[in-house]
Amino acid sequence: MTITEARSDADTTLVTETLDAFLAEHDPTAMDDIEFRGARYDAGLAWVHFPKGFGGLGVRPELNKLVETRLKEAGAKPTDPSTFFMALAGPTIVTHGSDEAKERFLRPMFT
């Protein structure tokens, strides 16, 4: 097994375990969508490739699809990745913004 393969397996395991724990505590069909999305952000399941503490888990971006699929199966409303905020503003802020800007904008943007 290569280092890349081992990291990929660890990333998938982290996302799967985080999703399992999150869904055990947060039923998307019983929560207000904004409240659910806030809890999702706090759990690192907004943009999984973003750093921990800023809506992510620091894993590879392809795992966002796993998150969306699992949450949809659980009854969550879909997240539209093509919106300005999701596709452009969020990644720009996380890449170029200060920690203050990330704290100020990312969670409200996602929710």
Side-chain angles (χ1 to χ4, degrees):
M1 177 181 290
T2 68
I3 292 172
T4 302
E5 289 170 336
R7 176 161 162 67
S8 295
D9 291 344
D11 286 356
T12 302
T13 299
L14 175 61
V15 171
T16 301
E17 289 175 352
T18 303
L19 277 164
D20 290 344
F22 178 76
L23 288 170
E25 293 185 26
H26 302 89
D27 179 356
T29 64
M31 296 177 72
D32 171 76
D33 189 48
I34 293 173
E35 180 184 357
F36 181 78
R37 290 171 63 90
R40 180 179 164 184
Y41 179 92
D42 296 342
L45 297 170
W47 295 278
V48 296
H49 56 293
F50 282 17
K52 290 182 180 181
F54 296 110
L57 298 172
V59 300
R60 63 187 194 283
E62 300 84 41
L63 292 170
N64 281 309
K65 185 170 182 159
L66 171 62
V67 172
E68 292 299 329
T69 300
R70 286 279 311 275
L71 294 178
K72 181 180 177 184
E73 290 170 353
K77 294 180 182 177
T79 303
D80 183 359
S82 66
T83 66
F84 170 78
F85 293 124
M86 296 297 288
L88 297 173
T92 299
I93 291 168
V94 84
T95 301
H96 302 288
S98 65
D99 284 351
E100 179 184 33
K102 292 173 194 173
E103 290 172 9
R104 181 175 177 198
F105 295 112
L106 291 176
R107 191 177 193 278
M109 186 182 303
F110 186 76
T111 59

